[in-house]
Amino acid sequence: MTALVIAVDGPAAAGKGTLARRLAAHFGLPYLDTGLLYRAVGRRVLDGEGDPRDAGVAEAAALGLRGEDVQRPDLRGAAADEAASQVAAHGGVRRALVAFQRGFAAGGGAVLDGRDIGTVIFPDARVKLYVTASAEARARRRWLEVSARDPAVTLAAVAAEMAARDARDAGRDAAPMKPAADAVVLDTTALDAEAAFGAAVAVVVGKLAGG
Ligand code: DC
């Protein structure tokens, strides 16, 4: 029996992080938020006053990534979102991060969330979920989060940033965001976190039973 790898992909603010973390706890697996890797690479580029759109600079930052980089407190927010999405478009950056992601699940399995886990990192994962929601629902969720910290941020601004990031993540040549052919698509537009978790557990249990 091969180790259980659960791939959770999907666009920003679809609820995949919360879901992936809960699945990991439920099935006793380690959890990796792969977006943090791209966020940390983006931060390193910004620290050096480089341009995240520059492939050479971004790849050097990815090759030099250290454990403490992914524990930085400044990996969230609009600037980090944008830089992460920009560095993630470079094939060299993505290649530099493959071995770490595969190694994370080696042996005991894992739950990983990202954009290309089911398509590129673990094409043979036993369970693949593609978690999505309407653009409006995702923008509203992210805005509720962000506006609690910064009341000046408008819903329209959050929606525009998210649309630009989705378009870049889905439109790039290197490992574009898309559901794997054998992924189960879970649309959380009308689901709260509890209902989404219940649906995801049912998918995993069904797959483990041979479905
Ligand atoms: O999941 P997240 O929002 O933290 O990801 C931040 C950015 O990183 C996202 O816009 C695209 C990129 N990313 C990626 O290309 N592949 C992954 N597996 C995870 C994230």
Side-chain angles (χ1 to χ4, degrees):
M1 178 85 97
T2 50
L4 176 58
V5 172
I6 303 178
V8 182
D9 290 304
K16 65 184 188 308
T18 307
L19 191 63
R21 199 171 287 109
R22 288 189 67 182
L23 286 174
H26 187 80
F27 290 101
L29 294 167
Y31 163 63
L32 181 64
D33 171 356
T34 66
L36 284 182
L37 303 175
Y38 295 92
R39 289 172 179 277
V41 173
R43 262 290 160 221
R44 282 175 59 94
V45 173
L46 296 178
D47 283 352
E49 297 187 3
D51 182 344
R53 291 168 299 187
D54 180 325
V57 168
E59 191 175 333
L63 289 168
L65 200 66
R66 296 157 308 174
E68 57 263 40
D69 293 321
V70 294
Q71 280 153 17
R72 294 173 57 147
D74 55 357
L75 299 180
R76 305 273 169 204
D81 289 351
E82 176 83 352
S85 173
Q86 288 174 332
V87 299
H90 305 302
V93 168
R94 307 196 70 84
R95 281 190 292 279
L97 301 176
V98 167
F100 175 77
Q101 294 174 80
R102 293 196 176 139
F104 185 82
V111 180
L112 296 92
D113 82 43
R115 303 289 187 290
D116 65 339
I117 308 303
T119 51
V120 174
I121 305 298
F122 286 104
D124 298 327
R126 302 234 312 270
V127 184
K128 298 181 187 178
L129 285 163
Y130 190 85
V131 183
T132 188
S134 72
E136 294 73 24
R138 293 187 293 111
R140 184 165 290 281
R141 285 177 198 166
R142 181 54 53 85
W143 175 66
L144 285 172
E145 241 173 71
V146 173
S147 60
R149 291 191 301 268
D150 181 357
V153 174
T154 65
L155 174 59
V158 171
E161 273 168 23
M162 193 173 278
R165 188 148 73 99
D166 286 349
R168 187 184 303 110
D169 294 344
R172 66 189 177 213
D173 292 332
M177 168 176 77
K178 63 175 178 195
D182 53 348
V184 175
V185 176
L186 183 60
D187 188 326
T188 68
T189 306
L191 302 181
D192 62 16
E194 202 54 40
F197 177 62
V201 169
V203 169
V204 178
V205 169
K207 291 280 175 191
L208 295 182

